[in-house]
Amino acid sequence: MRIQIDDKDFDLLLEYDQIKKRIRLIGIQLNLDFENRIPVFVGVLNGSFVFLADLIKEITIASEVTFVKVKSYNGDQSSGVISDEMDISMDLKDRDVIVVEDIVDTGKTLKYILEKIKAQKPASINVCSLLFKPNIIEEEIEELTYVGFEIPNDFVVGYGLDYNGLGRNFKDIYKAVALKK
Ligand code: 5GP
């Protein structure tokens, strides 16, 4: 199915049913790995809010949730310049932290967030990202333990991810149609 958002066309990449099934499996794994640990989920705003909302419903162990907000994208290009928009309000010292990301692209945003969290001296840090573009990663991120789907290097929208602020509300995930040369 093809949709249009702003000036761009997008084709269906991942259906919500598929996403839901994968999240259920990640939830099972997290419940096992963090049994008796009371982890803190740190959602990276804005993109991760839909993923985190579905993921947390699969978590059956005691856990807490907080958020951090940074900005690194302009339209469909990674700007490489990351700025703080909202700091983490919780004390993460000696806590088991699970950073929840919508997508890891170059890895620059994640690296920046991980440095901020490490400065608080948590007991452990793991990253759970719904999407991962393995072909474009520039930073090695050893904390990236849980990945929903590895996807090609396409710009994607839907399920919390936006294009110029639009498209976060779509249930499924869509990829940008490559322009004909
Ligand atoms: P990175 O710093 O890894 O290059 O970019 C990470 C952030 O850029 C993500 O948290 C996300 O907000 C945004 N981003 C990266 N790739 C995409 C994409 O394909 N679509 C959308 N909508 N945002 C993306």
Side-chain angles (χ1 to χ4, degrees):
M1 195 179 68
R2 185 162 287 191
I3 58 163
Q4 189 178 1
I5 301 173
D6 207 357
D7 58 354
K8 257 191 199 304
D9 288 329
F10 294 85
D11 284 336
L12 184 63
L13 180 66
L14 293 166
E15 277 189 271
Y16 182 52
D17 260 6
Q18 239 180 309
I19 299 171
K20 245 185 358 199
K21 282 191 187 125
R22 185 72 190 103
I23 293 177
R24 205 163 295 147
L25 292 177
I26 295 174
I28 291 169
Q29 191 65 51
L30 288 168
N31 290 327
L32 287 172
D33 292 353
F34 290 89
E35 205 179 1
N36 305 319
R37 307 257 295 270
I38 316 186
V40 183
F41 290 90
V42 178
V44 181
L45 293 172
N46 288 328
S48 77
F49 77 105
V50 180
F51 174 41
L52 181 54
D54 277 347
L55 181 67
I56 206 71
K57 286 179 274 189
E58 302 296 336
I59 302 302
T60 52
I61 55 168
S63 55
E64 291 181 74
V65 177
T66 189
F67 293 94
V68 63
K69 187 172 181 184
V70 294
K71 192 175 187 319
S72 70
Y73 245 67
N74 280 325
D76 62 356
Q77 295 295 314
S78 183
S79 70
V81 181
I82 301 155
S83 56
D84 282 312
E85 298 223 316
M86 189 185 90
D87 234 327
I88 304 163
S89 59
M90 198 181 277
D91 181 7
L92 299 177
K93 186 165 173 10
D94 298 329
R95 299 298 305 267
D96 292 299
V97 174
I98 303 167
V99 178
V100 179
E101 264 281 26
D102 49 357
I103 188 162
V104 178
D105 186 334
T106 64
K108 286 181 182 155
T109 307
L110 191 51
K111 191 151 197 271
Y112 178 84
I113 291 166
L114 289 173
E115 291 309 318
K116 281 171 77 81
I117 294 176
K118 280 179 193 165
Q120 288 206 41
K121 306 222 177 319
S124 68
I125 314 183
N126 284 273
V127 176
C128 175
S129 183
L130 179 65
L131 305 173
F132 175 47
K133 294 180 185 170
N135 297 336
I136 201 170
I137 190 99
E138 289 174 17
E139 308 284 349
E140 193 157 330
I141 308 227
E142 57 188 31
E143 295 87 352
L144 186 55
T145 320
Y146 308 93
V147 170
F149 301 92
E150 290 195 356
I151 60 165
N153 182 22
D154 295 308
F155 183 76
V156 294
V157 292
Y159 198 72
L161 291 139
D162 74 306
Y163 173 51
N164 287 339
L166 301 171
R168 295 191 197 277
N169 51 308
F170 288 106
K171 259 189 160 173
D172 306 314
I173 294 176
Y174 296 80
K175 63 173 186 150
V177 176
L179 293 176
K180 288 201 185 78
K181 292 205 174 122

mmCIF file of all heavy atoms in Angstrom, residues 19-53:
data_model
loop_
_atom_site.group_PDB
_atom_site.id
_atom_site.type_symbol
_atom_site.label_atom_id
_atom_site.label_comp_id
_atom_site.label_asym_id
_atom_site.label_seq_id
_atom_site.Cartn_x
_atom_site.Cartn_y
_atom_site.Cartn_z
ATOM 1 N N ILE A 19 4.723 -6.313 14.048
ATOM 2 C CA ILE A 19 5.398 -5.509 15.079
ATOM 3 C C ILE A 19 4.976 -6.008 16.459
ATOM 4 O O ILE A 19 5.805 -6.222 17.345
ATOM 5 C CB ILE A 19 5.052 -4.006 14.909
ATOM 6 C CG1 ILE A 19 5.510 -3.492 13.541
ATOM 7 C CG2 ILE A 19 5.659 -3.168 16.034
ATOM 8 C CD1 ILE A 19 5.019 -2.088 13.191
ATOM 9 N N LYS A 20 3.672 -6.216 16.613
ATOM 10 C CA LYS A 20 3.125 -6.662 17.910
ATOM 11 C C LYS A 20 3.707 -8.004 18.331
ATOM 12 O O LYS A 20 4.074 -8.195 19.485
ATOM 13 C CB LYS A 20 1.602 -6.806 17.778
ATOM 14 C CG LYS A 20 0.859 -5.819 18.640
ATOM 15 C CD LYS A 20 -0.642 -5.944 18.672
ATOM 16 C CE LYS A 20 -1.292 -6.978 17.826
ATOM 17 N NZ LYS A 20 -2.706 -6.777 17.568
ATOM 18 N N LYS A 21 3.807 -8.924 17.376
ATOM 19 C CA LYS A 21 4.349 -10.266 17.670
ATOM 20 C C LYS A 21 5.803 -10.157 18.124
ATOM 21 O O LYS A 21 6.225 -10.817 19.065
ATOM 22 C CB LYS A 21 4.268 -11.153 16.426
ATOM 23 C CG LYS A 21 2.874 -11.688 16.190
ATOM 24 C CD LYS A 21 2.875 -12.765 15.112
ATOM 25 C CE LYS A 21 1.434 -13.140 14.780
ATOM 26 N NZ LYS A 21 1.123 -13.020 13.363
ATOM 27 N N ARG A 22 6.561 -9.311 17.457
ATOM 28 C CA ARG A 22 7.985 -9.161 17.794
ATOM 29 C C ARG A 22 8.132 -8.534 19.185
ATOM 30 O O ARG A 22 8.990 -8.925 19.973
ATOM 31 C CB ARG A 22 8.654 -8.279 16.720
ATOM 32 C CG ARG A 22 10.129 -8.145 16.866
ATOM 33 C CD ARG A 22 10.867 -9.428 16.489
ATOM 34 N NE ARG A 22 12.273 -9.318 16.880
ATOM 35 C CZ ARG A 22 12.785 -9.907 17.955
ATOM 36 N NH1 ARG A 22 12.056 -10.675 18.734
ATOM 37 N NH2 ARG A 22 14.070 -9.742 18.240
ATOM 38 N N ILE A 23 7.265 -7.573 19.477
ATOM 39 C CA ILE A 23 7.330 -6.900 20.784
ATOM 40 C C ILE A 23 6.989 -7.880 21.907
ATOM 41 O O ILE A 23 7.588 -7.849 22.982
ATOM 42 C CB ILE A 23 6.407 -5.659 20.806
ATOM 43 C CG1 ILE A 23 6.955 -4.601 19.855
ATOM 44 C CG2 ILE A 23 6.255 -5.094 22.220
ATOM 45 C CD1 ILE A 23 6.097 -3.364 19.720
ATOM 46 N N ARG A 24 6.051 -8.775 21.630
ATOM 47 C CA ARG A 24 5.693 -9.788 22.633
ATOM 48 C C ARG A 24 6.921 -10.632 22.976
ATOM 49 O O ARG A 24 7.198 -10.905 24.144
ATOM 50 C CB ARG A 24 4.566 -10.673 22.077
ATOM 51 C CG ARG A 24 3.736 -11.323 23.169
ATOM 52 C CD ARG A 24 2.426 -11.838 22.626
ATOM 53 N NE ARG A 24 1.556 -10.786 22.151
ATOM 54 C CZ ARG A 24 0.710 -10.894 21.136
ATOM 55 N NH1 ARG A 24 0.623 -12.021 20.458
ATOM 56 N NH2 ARG A 24 -0.052 -9.891 20.787
ATOM 57 N N LEU A 25 7.697 -10.998 21.971
ATOM 58 C CA LEU A 25 8.898 -11.819 22.195
ATOM 59 C C LEU A 25 9.970 -11.038 22.954
ATOM 60 O O LEU A 25 10.625 -11.571 23.855
ATOM 61 C CB LEU A 25 9.470 -12.318 20.861
ATOM 62 C CG LEU A 25 8.611 -13.338 20.106
ATOM 63 C CD1 LEU A 25 9.246 -13.699 18.775
ATOM 64 C CD2 LEU A 25 8.429 -14.602 20.950
ATOM 65 N N ILE A 26 10.138 -9.770 22.594
ATOM 66 C CA ILE A 26 11.130 -8.933 23.305
ATOM 67 C C ILE A 26 10.716 -8.809 24.772
ATOM 68 O O ILE A 26 11.543 -8.882 25.672
ATOM 69 C CB ILE A 26 11.267 -7.537 22.647
ATOM 70 C CG1 ILE A 26 11.830 -7.662 21.228
ATOM 71 C CG2 ILE A 26 12.153 -6.622 23.489
ATOM 72 C CD1 ILE A 26 11.855 -6.349 20.449
ATOM 73 N N GLY A 27 9.407 -8.645 25.006
ATOM 74 C CA GLY A 27 8.888 -8.530 26.374
ATOM 75 C C GLY A 27 9.215 -9.768 27.190
ATOM 76 O O GLY A 27 9.675 -9.674 28.339
ATOM 77 N N ILE A 28 9.015 -10.935 26.593
ATOM 78 C CA ILE A 28 9.303 -12.201 27.290
ATOM 79 C C ILE A 28 10.782 -12.239 27.677
ATOM 80 O O ILE A 28 11.143 -12.583 28.803
ATOM 81 C CB ILE A 28 8.928 -13.419 26.395
ATOM 82 C CG1 ILE A 28 7.407 -13.502 26.238
ATOM 83 C CG2 ILE A 28 9.490 -14.720 26.957
ATOM 84 C CD1 ILE A 28 6.930 -14.479 25.168
ATOM 85 N N GLN A 29 11.637 -11.848 26.736
ATOM 86 C CA GLN A 29 13.084 -11.853 26.986
ATOM 87 C C GLN A 29 13.456 -10.881 28.112
ATOM 88 O O GLN A 29 14.236 -11.223 29.013
ATOM 89 C CB GLN A 29 13.804 -11.455 25.681
ATOM 90 C CG GLN A 29 15.301 -11.675 25.733
ATOM 91 C CD GLN A 29 15.657 -13.150 25.864
ATOM 92 O OE1 GLN A 29 15.175 -13.967 25.098
ATOM 93 N NE2 GLN A 29 16.466 -13.485 26.849
ATOM 94 N N LEU A 30 12.861 -9.687 28.083
ATOM 95 C CA LEU A 30 13.166 -8.684 29.121
ATOM 96 C C LEU A 30 12.693 -9.170 30.494
ATOM 97 O O LEU A 30 13.398 -8.989 31.500
ATOM 98 C CB LEU A 30 12.513 -7.342 28.776
ATOM 99 C CG LEU A 30 13.139 -6.569 27.612
ATOM 100 C CD1 LEU A 30 12.234 -5.424 27.181
ATOM 101 C CD2 LEU A 30 14.514 -6.033 27.986
ATOM 102 N N ASN A 31 11.511 -9.795 30.535
ATOM 103 C CA ASN A 31 10.991 -10.305 31.813
ATOM 104 C C ASN A 31 11.933 -11.345 32.417
ATOM 105 O O ASN A 31 12.103 -11.404 33.641
ATOM 106 C CB ASN A 31 9.603 -10.920 31.617
ATOM 107 C CG ASN A 31 8.557 -9.870 31.317
ATOM 108 O OD1 ASN A 31 8.644 -8.744 31.804
ATOM 109 N ND2 ASN A 31 7.573 -10.219 30.504
ATOM 110 N N LEU A 32 12.558 -12.144 31.558
ATOM 111 C CA LEU A 32 13.508 -13.158 32.036
ATOM 112 C C LEU A 32 14.822 -12.504 32.457
ATOM 113 O O LEU A 32 15.347 -12.755 33.539
ATOM 114 C CB LEU A 32 13.813 -14.159 30.915
ATOM 115 C CG LEU A 32 12.723 -15.165 30.564
ATOM 116 C CD1 LEU A 32 13.096 -15.944 29.324
ATOM 117 C CD2 LEU A 32 12.509 -16.126 31.739
ATOM 118 N N ASP A 33 15.335 -11.627 31.592
ATOM 119 C CA ASP A 33 16.667 -11.038 31.827
ATOM 120 C C ASP A 33 16.690 -10.112 33.037
ATOM 121 O O ASP A 33 17.746 -9.925 33.646
ATOM 122 C CB ASP A 33 17.127 -10.247 30.585
ATOM 123 C CG ASP A 33 17.400 -11.161 29.397
ATOM 124 O OD1 ASP A 33 17.359 -12.391 29.570
ATOM 125 O OD2 ASP A 33 17.640 -10.635 28.290
ATOM 126 N N PHE A 34 15.555 -9.481 33.362
ATOM 127 C CA PHE A 34 15.545 -8.485 34.444
ATOM 128 C C PHE A 34 14.685 -8.915 35.648
ATOM 129 O O PHE A 34 14.303 -8.072 36.460
ATOM 130 C CB PHE A 34 15.103 -7.118 33.902
ATOM 131 C CG PHE A 34 16.141 -6.514 33.011
ATOM 132 C CD1 PHE A 34 16.144 -6.784 31.660
ATOM 133 C CD2 PHE A 34 17.158 -5.722 33.520
ATOM 134 C CE1 PHE A 34 17.125 -6.263 30.817
ATOM 135 C CE2 PHE A 34 18.148 -5.195 32.704
ATOM 136 C CZ PHE A 34 18.132 -5.469 31.347
ATOM 137 N N GLU A 35 14.467 -10.211 35.757
ATOM 138 C CA GLU A 35 13.696 -10.742 36.887
ATOM 139 C C GLU A 35 14.346 -10.297 38.201
ATOM 140 O O GLU A 35 15.570 -10.368 38.345
ATOM 141 C CB GLU A 35 13.695 -12.272 36.790
ATOM 142 C CG GLU A 35 12.525 -12.900 37.462
ATOM 143 C CD GLU A 35 12.549 -14.420 37.328
ATOM 144 O OE1 GLU A 35 13.493 -14.969 36.735
ATOM 145 O OE2 GLU A 35 11.607 -15.020 37.833
ATOM 146 N N ASN A 36 13.556 -9.810 39.125
ATOM 147 C CA ASN A 36 14.032 -9.349 40.452
ATOM 148 C C ASN A 36 14.978 -8.150 40.396
ATOM 149 O O ASN A 36 15.760 -7.938 41.318
ATOM 150 C CB ASN A 36 14.725 -10.488 41.215
ATOM 151 C CG ASN A 36 13.844 -11.704 41.337
ATOM 152 O OD1 ASN A 36 12.636 -11.568 41.580
ATOM 153 N ND2 ASN A 36 14.402 -12.883 41.148
ATOM 154 N N ARG A 37 14.968 -7.360 39.313
ATOM 155 C CA ARG A 37 15.933 -6.254 39.200
ATOM 156 C C ARG A 37 15.275 -4.867 39.218
ATOM 157 O O ARG A 37 15.942 -3.870 39.387
ATOM 158 C CB ARG A 37 16.746 -6.402 37.900
ATOM 159 C CG ARG A 37 17.416 -7.773 37.718
ATOM 160 C CD ARG A 37 18.882 -7.750 38.004
ATOM 161 N NE ARG A 37 19.604 -6.932 37.063
ATOM 162 C CZ ARG A 37 20.140 -7.371 35.911
ATOM 163 N NH1 ARG A 37 19.996 -8.633 35.556
ATOM 164 N NH2 ARG A 37 20.811 -6.573 35.129
ATOM 165 N N ILE A 38 14.005 -4.746 39.009
ATOM 166 C CA ILE A 38 13.283 -3.463 38.905
ATOM 167 C C ILE A 38 13.998 -2.482 37.962
ATOM 168 O O ILE A 38 14.536 -1.447 38.387
ATOM 169 C CB ILE A 38 13.016 -2.814 40.288
ATOM 170 C CG1 ILE A 38 12.523 -3.867 41.290
ATOM 171 C CG2 ILE A 38 11.999 -1.673 40.150
ATOM 172 C CD1 ILE A 38 12.089 -3.317 42.657
ATOM 173 N N PRO A 39 14.042 -2.796 36.660
ATOM 174 C CA PRO A 39 14.712 -1.902 35.714
ATOM 175 C C PRO A 39 13.955 -0.587 35.503
ATOM 176 O O PRO A 39 12.764 -0.496 35.811
ATOM 177 C CB PRO A 39 14.721 -2.713 34.412
ATOM 178 C CG PRO A 39 13.548 -3.632 34.517
ATOM 179 C CD PRO A 39 13.419 -3.968 35.984
ATOM 180 N N VAL A 40 14.693 0.415 34.988
ATOM 181 C CA VAL A 40 14.069 1.686 34.585
ATOM 182 C C VAL A 40 14.109 1.755 33.061
ATOM 183 O O VAL A 40 15.196 1.706 32.468
ATOM 184 C CB VAL A 40 14.837 2.918 35.127
ATOM 185 C CG1 VAL A 40 14.109 4.204 34.742
ATOM 186 C CG2 VAL A 40 15.050 2.831 36.618
ATOM 187 N N PHE A 41 12.950 1.872 32.438
ATOM 188 C CA PHE A 41 12.888 2.073 30.992
ATOM 189 C C PHE A 41 13.020 3.569 30.723
ATOM 190 O O PHE A 41 12.236 4.365 31.270
ATOM 191 C CB PHE A 41 11.559 1.564 30.429
ATOM 192 C CG PHE A 41 11.447 0.055 30.454
ATOM 193 C CD1 PHE A 41 10.917 -0.604 31.560
ATOM 194 C CD2 PHE A 41 11.884 -0.695 29.376
ATOM 195 C CE1 PHE A 41 10.821 -1.991 31.582
ATOM 196 C CE2 PHE A 41 11.789 -2.089 29.387
ATOM 197 C CZ PHE A 41 11.260 -2.734 30.502
ATOM 198 N N VAL A 42 13.993 3.950 29.901
ATOM 199 C CA VAL A 42 14.163 5.359 29.549
ATOM 200 C C VAL A 42 13.758 5.514 28.078
ATOM 201 O O VAL A 42 14.499 5.121 27.166
ATOM 202 C CB VAL A 42 15.619 5.841 29.763
ATOM 203 C CG1 VAL A 42 15.759 7.302 29.338
ATOM 204 C CG2 VAL A 42 16.053 5.655 31.210
ATOM 205 N N GLY A 43 12.572 6.052 27.840
ATOM 206 C CA GLY A 43 12.087 6.243 26.473
ATOM 207 C C GLY A 43 12.697 7.486 25.854
ATOM 208 O O GLY A 43 12.747 8.543 26.485
ATOM 209 N N VAL A 44 13.178 7.351 24.618
ATOM 210 C CA VAL A 44 13.765 8.495 23.917
ATOM 211 C C VAL A 44 12.662 9.145 23.073
ATOM 212 O O VAL A 44 12.177 8.569 22.094
ATOM 213 C CB VAL A 44 14.956 8.061 23.029
ATOM 214 C CG1 VAL A 44 15.574 9.273 22.337
ATOM 215 C CG2 VAL A 44 15.995 7.313 23.854
ATOM 216 N N LEU A 45 12.260 10.346 23.487
ATOM 217 C CA LEU A 45 11.182 11.068 22.806
ATOM 218 C C LEU A 45 11.698 11.796 21.575
ATOM 219 O O LEU A 45 12.866 12.142 21.532
ATOM 220 C CB LEU A 45 10.569 12.093 23.772
ATOM 221 C CG LEU A 45 9.821 11.476 24.967
ATOM 222 C CD1 LEU A 45 9.427 12.550 25.968
ATOM 223 C CD2 LEU A 45 8.601 10.699 24.513
ATOM 224 N N ASN A 46 10.863 12.066 20.544
ATOM 225 C CA ASN A 46 9.460 11.718 20.573
ATOM 226 C C ASN A 46 9.176 10.317 20.045
ATOM 227 O O ASN A 46 8.192 9.687 20.429
ATOM 228 C CB ASN A 46 8.653 12.702 19.687
ATOM 229 C CG ASN A 46 8.542 14.081 20.301
ATOM 230 O OD1 ASN A 46 8.507 14.243 21.501
ATOM 231 N ND2 ASN A 46 8.471 15.084 19.445
ATOM 232 N N GLY A 47 10.040 9.860 19.135
ATOM 233 C CA GLY A 47 9.737 8.690 18.306
ATOM 234 C C GLY A 47 9.362 7.416 19.036
ATOM 235 O O GLY A 47 8.608 6.608 18.504
ATOM 236 N N SER A 48 9.897 7.190 20.257
ATOM 237 C CA SER A 48 9.714 5.879 20.900
ATOM 238 C C SER A 48 8.410 5.743 21.679
ATOM 239 O O SER A 48 8.154 4.688 22.254
ATOM 240 C CB SER A 48 10.894 5.580 21.829
ATOM 241 O OG SER A 48 10.759 6.322 23.022
ATOM 242 N N PHE A 49 7.574 6.795 21.711
ATOM 243 C CA PHE A 49 6.429 6.731 22.631
ATOM 244 C C PHE A 49 5.422 5.626 22.293
ATOM 245 O O PHE A 49 4.838 5.028 23.188
ATOM 246 C CB PHE A 49 5.738 8.102 22.780
ATOM 247 C CG PHE A 49 4.836 8.501 21.629
ATOM 248 C CD1 PHE A 49 3.465 8.441 21.753
ATOM 249 C CD2 PHE A 49 5.364 8.957 20.436
ATOM 250 C CE1 PHE A 49 2.623 8.811 20.703
ATOM 251 C CE2 PHE A 49 4.542 9.335 19.372
ATOM 252 C CZ PHE A 49 3.167 9.259 19.503
ATOM 253 N N VAL A 50 5.244 5.322 20.998
ATOM 254 C CA VAL A 50 4.285 4.277 20.615
ATOM 255 C C VAL A 50 4.871 2.898 20.947
ATOM 256 O O VAL A 50 4.204 2.042 21.537
ATOM 257 C CB VAL A 50 3.924 4.378 19.119
ATOM 258 C CG1 VAL A 50 2.941 3.289 18.726
ATOM 259 C CG2 VAL A 50 3.336 5.741 18.805
ATOM 260 N N PHE A 51 6.130 2.706 20.588
ATOM 261 C CA PHE A 51 6.823 1.448 20.879
ATOM 262 C C PHE A 51 6.854 1.183 22.385
ATOM 263 O O PHE A 51 6.521 0.088 22.846
ATOM 264 C CB PHE A 51 8.240 1.521 20.289
ATOM 265 C CG PHE A 51 9.136 0.361 20.630
ATOM 266 C CD1 PHE A 51 8.647 -0.949 20.633
ATOM 267 C CD2 PHE A 51 10.480 0.559 20.925
ATOM 268 C CE1 PHE A 51 9.489 -2.030 20.929
ATOM 269 C CE2 PHE A 51 11.314 -0.502 21.224
ATOM 270 C CZ PHE A 51 10.816 -1.796 21.227
ATOM 271 N N LEU A 52 7.243 2.188 23.157
ATOM 272 C CA LEU A 52 7.334 2.010 24.611
ATOM 273 C C LEU A 52 5.965 1.680 25.208
ATOM 274 O O LEU A 52 5.854 0.831 26.101
ATOM 275 C CB LEU A 52 7.951 3.255 25.271
ATOM 276 C CG LEU A 52 8.121 3.192 26.788
ATOM 277 C CD1 LEU A 52 8.907 1.959 27.225
ATOM 278 C CD2 LEU A 52 8.828 4.434 27.302
ATOM 279 N N ALA A 53 4.916 2.315 24.690
ATOM 280 C CA ALA A 53 3.564 2.059 25.206
ATOM 281 C C ALA A 53 3.167 0.598 24.981
ATOM 282 O O ALA A 53 2.577 -0.035 25.856
ATOM 283 C CB ALA A 53 2.554 2.990 24.532
#
